[in-house]
């Protein structure tokens, strides 16, 4: 899981930008991955630890924007099953009222 602030200044605006940054981090620092489970529960998206079932993150469905899956059948591709989405300010709120974040799972 990685989280980035969405802004033109950071160069992260679209899901492809987040994947590009993830790959840059992998080359520079290496990334530790953890198997997670995602569950839709009424009006929430829950991210849970795969082994323990512990809730790690919780996002309100109405705030989720641009959900995008990145998949690959290439066995050499380390990131072959990635979900990216943006969580932003609620409907009717100005962008300045809350910042948007990009989450990568």
């Amino acid at each position: 899981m990685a989280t980035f602030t969405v802004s033109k200044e950071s160069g992260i605006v679209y899901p492809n930008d987040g994947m590009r940054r993830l790959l840059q981090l992998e080359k520079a620092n290496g990334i530790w991955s953890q198997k997670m489970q995602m569950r839709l529960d009424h009006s929430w998206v829950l991210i849970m630890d795969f082994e323990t079932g512990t809730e790690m993150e919780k996002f309100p469905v109405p705030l989720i924007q641009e959900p995008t899956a990145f998949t690959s059948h290439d066995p050499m591709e380390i990131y072959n099953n990635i979900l990216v989405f943006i969580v932003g300010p609620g409907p009717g709120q100005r962008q300045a009222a809350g910042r948007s974040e990009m989450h990568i799972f």
Side-chain angles (χ1 to χ4, degrees), residues 44-65:
W44 294 92
V45 171
L46 306 173
I47 307 298
M48 301 157 65
D49 180 275
F50 185 79
E51 292 181 14
T52 66
T54 304
E55 183 181 298
M56 305 298 287
E57 293 274 355
K58 182 176 177 179
F59 304 102
V61 170
L63 301 186
I64 294 178
Q65 306 164 16

Side-chain angles (χ1 to χ4, degrees), residues 11-38:
I12 298 178
V13 178
Y14 303 105
N16 284 335
D17 301 330
M19 280 301 294
R20 184 185 70 250
R21 181 66 53 91
L22 184 71
L23 295 174
Q24 288 171 345
L25 287 172
E26 171 63 32
K27 289 179 183 176
N29 304 331
I31 294 177
W32 175 73
S33 62
Q34 179 179 357
K35 201 171 188 176
M36 305 294 276
Q37 182 178 35
M38 182 178 289

Side-chain angles (χ1 to χ4, degrees), residues 56-94:
M56 305 298 287
E57 293 274 355
K58 182 176 177 179
F59 304 102
V61 170
L63 301 186
I64 294 178
Q65 306 164 16
E66 297 191 51
T68 306
F70 292 90
T71 61
S72 172
H73 296 290
D74 180 354
M76 299 304 291
E77 175 62 50
I78 189 167
Y79 301 111
N80 61 7
N81 189 16
I82 302 289
L83 176 66
V84 178
F85 58 86
I86 297 170
V87 177
Q93 291 181 327
R94 292 189 350 255

